[in-house]
Amino acid sequence: MRVQILGTGQLLELQRRLRAAGNENIRASMQRRVRRAAEPLRDALQDSIRQTDLTSAGRGSGRRGGPSPTTRPLRATIAGAIRISVRNTGAGAGARVWVDKDQLPRDLRGMPAAINTGRVRHPVFGNRRRWAQQNATPLWWDRTVRAHAPRMTREVERVVDDVRRRLN
């Protein structure tokens, strides 16, 4: 799960001009400003996953239950794995916000996408013969990205225009 704001033509042309000018201060400033434009999206994604409700039908009468076998808070763990990267060169120049699966425990790596679908199936306390389904508010990732994409695009365009003016 990731979102990228890429300025294919304008940003690439601007990067060539920045390299030719050799002004490291302008490049660092541009990278910092693009990162700042992406930070509200990252924060909103973290808030969104932390506030997503996971509900279940509950257990039926006579069924046993108990505390979770893990002390790991699911939504906080996913929120902590949301990252930003900014590249100033190459075809991938721009900002990228994504869930870093390497930061998640092995058994939770598919969980952000599953929660985004609105349906999470998992074995009951690790017993692979018994499965439970939990429901979540679907599209926590997609809705948040959709809400922030126009603002991010405007902000990156503003940064590119400012840098272009400074180079002229």
Side-chain angles (χ1 to χ4, degrees), residues 26-40:
I26 295 175
R27 291 173 83 180
S29 172
M30 180 177 167
Q31 185 170 3
R32 196 170 37 253
R33 289 178 64 194
V34 170
R35 175 175 289 281
R36 259 191 255 131
E39 285 173 352

Side-chain angles (χ1 to χ4, degrees), residues 4 9 24 43 54 80 84 87 104 119 130 137 151 153:
Q4 297 182 48
E24 198 59 39
D43 297 343
L54 282 172
I84 299 174
R87 289 184 54 190
L104 294 173
R119 183 180 142 200
R130 292 190 60 210
T137 306
R151 182 200 52 78
T153 303

Side-chain angles (χ1 to χ4, degrees), residues 9-164:
Q10 292 179 341
L11 199 51
L12 290 174
E13 181 265 329
L14 185 61
Q15 293 307 322
R16 280 192 289 276
R17 291 177 58 192
L18 273 172
R19 272 196 302 277
N23 190 335
E24 198 59 39
N25 188 23
I26 295 175
R27 291 173 83 180
S29 172
M30 180 177 167
Q31 185 170 3
R32 196 170 37 253
R33 289 178 64 194
V34 170
R35 175 175 289 281
R36 259 191 255 131
E39 285 173 352
L41 173 60
R42 182 205 53 207
D43 297 343
L45 286 166
Q46 289 173 336
D47 290 343
S48 178
I49 190 62
R50 283 186 184 113
Q51 295 170 4
T52 297
D53 287 329
L54 282 172
T55 59
S56 66
R59 49 177 191 198
S61 63
R63 293 197 178 160
R64 293 179 291 157
S68 172
T70 178
T71 59
R72 200 174 48 224
L74 172 67
R75 290 168 287 219
T77 302
I78 294 171
I82 297 175
R83 301 277 186 256
I84 299 174
S85 70
V86 178
R87 289 184 54 190
N88 275 344
T89 58
R96 182 173 75 131
V97 179
W98 83 105
V99 176
D100 186 359
K101 292 184 180 180
D102 292 336
Q103 298 296 314
L104 294 173
R106 203 180 245 12
D107 59 334
L108 295 182
R109 292 193 175 157
M111 197 58 70
I115 293 173
N116 195 48
T117 66
R119 183 180 142 200
V120 178
R121 289 192 72 236
H122 60 87
V124 176
F125 298 111
N127 180 355
R128 292 202 146 314
R129 290 180 296 197
R130 292 190 60 210
W131 287 76
Q133 177 177 318
Q134 289 182 283
N135 300 312
T137 306
L139 305 175
W140 69 273
W141 180 272
D142 299 352
R143 287 182 184 162
T144 307
V145 168
R146 214 174 299 126
H148 283 265
R151 182 200 52 78
M152 278 183 61
T153 303
R154 283 191 310 273
E155 193 65 33
V156 170
E157 286 172 354
R158 187 177 308 127
V159 170
V160 168
D161 289 343
D162 290 350
V163 170
R164 186 178 292 132

